[in-house]
Amino acid sequence: TFKFQEKNQWRNRQRLNTPIRHLAGQPGILLASSLPSISQEGEKDVTFKVLYCGICHSDLHMVKNEWGMSTYPLIPGHEIVGVVTEVGSRVQKFKVGDKVGVGCMVDACHSCDNCTNHLENYCTKMILTYGVKYYDGTTTYGGYSDTMVTDEHFVIRIPDNLPLDAGAPLLCAGITVYSPLRFYGLEKSGMYVGVVGLGGLGHVAVKFAKAMGVKVTVISTSPNKKKEALEHLGADSFLVSKDQDQIQQPLMPPLGLLKTQGKLVMVGAPEKPLELPDFPLLMGRKLVGGSCIGGMKETQEMIDFAAKHNITSDIEVIPIDYVNTAMERLVKADVRY
């Protein structure tokens, strides 16, 4: 998570011809720079001053175009929190001074089955917070900025007792693990959940699962994370997975650990497709599923749950001019978390 110390403004649905400054040393990363003051664009829009924005591994993938969908110029950032400075005339949920946040999406069609069932994240016309074309053909720009303007439906209220800096990554990492725990019925007290990988998603998954009353086993290739998992995060057990063959076939080890009718849920987005073996699925009627963030109703529910149970991300706060070094450290996994 980084704190902003420069004057960088943009509008999420930018319509102005404005200069954009390239951040030297990191191809693809841009900060909106020297933009004019922003006035309210729509009756349902909320304008807020960005105070913190998480650096997500997705930002790194997008900057390097590892998913093959990046367009430039690219202004990353989708774990954005701050304080409301202006609201449109028809905004009902927020007022000036409220603590708010914006996660991975900023719009959807509002009318399809997914949208009407609070699953805007699966709407085929969902608009990501940055790096995609908005309905009018303009490009969305992310939270590596000072100011944001977003439709109130896609703005999350941040409870007063949840720190803005340590709460920011929950808008991506938090909902990414909270939603599948709930949907796949893994949140019931007394159940057993394995968390594969103790990183940005993993450490938050442990915290949410423990708060739900679940027995948690951390599965990691790093033996030196055992103390962290058990003593700091409160996991119930720790399993080391270092076999080279297992690393080459990443779905095999967790499938083998599942009980009959167990579920393996994918929440990461690897650069290359994974191979799915047949027999480990057949022998035990096991399921492999997936999950991608969550809808707006569920995201607000997640943030409220986090505030109630004192769940935050473990972060390092950095200034904006450190972002290139931060990206280099992210490549090396030199972050907690």
Side-chain angles (χ1 to χ4, degrees):
T1 304
F2 61 79
K3 184 176 182 180
F4 292 92
Q5 297 182 347
E6 298 182 358
K7 297 296 183 183
N8 304 312
Q9 293 185 354
W10 66 281
R11 73 180 323 142
N12 177 257
R13 301 183 298 281
Q14 185 167 344
R15 312 215 190 283
L16 306 174
N17 293 320
T18 53
I20 295 179
R21 179 169 59 84
H22 185 271
L23 198 57
Q26 180 63 65
I29 291 185
L30 298 173
L31 300 174
S33 179
S34 304
L35 302 191
S37 298
I38 296 174
S39 60
Q40 197 62 44
E41 182 167 344
E43 295 176 335
K44 298 288 289 182
D45 281 341
V46 173
T47 301
F48 66 93
K49 177 178 176 57
V50 179
L51 297 180
Y52 299 93
C53 180
I55 296 180
C56 179
H57 205 280
S58 300
D59 297 340
L60 185 61
H61 285 306
M62 288 292 288
V63 166
K64 298 170 69 175
N65 196 25
E66 291 177 339
W67 291 333
M69 58 181 288
S70 302
T71 57
Y72 304 100
L74 181 76
I75 300 178
H78 60 203
E79 301 171 344
I80 315 160
V81 293
V83 177
V84 175
T85 57
E86 188 178 355
V87 296
S89 59
R90 294 179 57 202
V91 169
Q92 298 178 344
K93 297 190 296 182
F94 304 100
K95 64 182 185 305
V96 173
D98 285 348
K99 294 164 60 177
V100 296
V102 168
C104 301
M105 57 182 166
V106 292
D107 216 333
C109 79
H110 300 270
S111 60
C112 68
D113 287 345
N114 285 324
C115 284
T116 55
N117 286 289
H118 307 290
L119 295 172
E120 300 93 340
N121 52 311
Y122 298 122
C123 172
T124 59
K125 297 182 180 180
M126 182 261 291
I127 302 293
L128 296 174
T129 302
Y130 71 86
V132 300
K133 292 294 184 182
Y134 197 68
Y135 296 129
D136 64 356
T138 58
T139 300
T140 58
Y141 295 137
Y144 290 19
S145 316
D146 278 341
T147 303
M148 185 161 189
V149 182
T150 306
D151 185 289
E152 73 166 331
H153 183 77
F154 295 88
V155 179
I156 297 296
R157 179 180 300 279
I158 307 297
D160 288 336
N161 66 318
L162 186 67
L164 283 178
D165 53 359
L170 298 180
L171 293 169
C172 176
I175 187 59
T176 295
V177 298
Y178 180 90
S179 183
L181 283 169
R182 293 292 305 276
F183 177 79
Y184 288 97
L186 304 175
E187 85 283 20
K188 299 179 179 64
S189 179
M191 295 198 71
Y192 291 82
V193 170
V195 175
V196 182
L198 192 61
L201 293 178
H203 90 286
V204 175
V206 174
K207 293 183 179 184
F208 274 111
K210 288 301 299 180
M212 293 171 177
V214 171
K215 300 290 185 181
V216 179
T217 297
V218 171
I219 304 169
S220 174
T221 59
S222 304
N224 59 358
K225 289 187 177 182
K226 181 176 182 178
K227 183 177 181 180
E228 175 87 358
L230 299 179
E231 298 182 12
H232 173 60
L233 296 175
D236 299 282
S237 56
F238 185 88
L239 182 62
V240 178
S241 175
K242 290 195 68 175
D243 185 88
Q244 188 63 35
D245 291 336
Q246 294 180 348
I247 295 174
Q248 293 174 357
Q249 302 179 54
L251 289 182
M252 288 292 288
L255 281 175
L257 292 173
L258 293 179
K259 291 183 177 181
T260 299
Q261 301 183 143
K263 303 165 185 175
L264 173 62
V265 184
M266 305 297 296
V267 294
E271 300 173 31
K272 300 178 180 179
L274 300 176
E275 292 186 6
L276 182 62
D278 295 335
F279 279 101
L281 290 178
L282 302 177
M283 304 307 294
R285 199 160 65 182
K286 299 168 185 177
L287 300 176
V288 175
S291 185
C292 181
I293 56 173
M296 299 313 302
K297 181 179 179 180
E298 189 174 45
T299 302
Q300 185 66 65
E301 175 187 299
M302 177 276 302
I303 284 290
D304 293 340
F305 183 92
K308 179 179 179 180
H309 295 276
N310 298 313
I311 296 174
T312 56
S313 304
D314 291 3
I315 63 168
E316 175 184 344
V317 179
I318 63 170
I320 186 61
D321 57 9
Y322 187 80
V323 66
N324 289 326
T325 303
M327 286 288 180
E328 294 169 0
R329 288 178 55 191
L330 195 57
V331 172
K332 302 173 184 177
D334 179 29
V335 290
R336 293 288 180 91
Y337 283 108

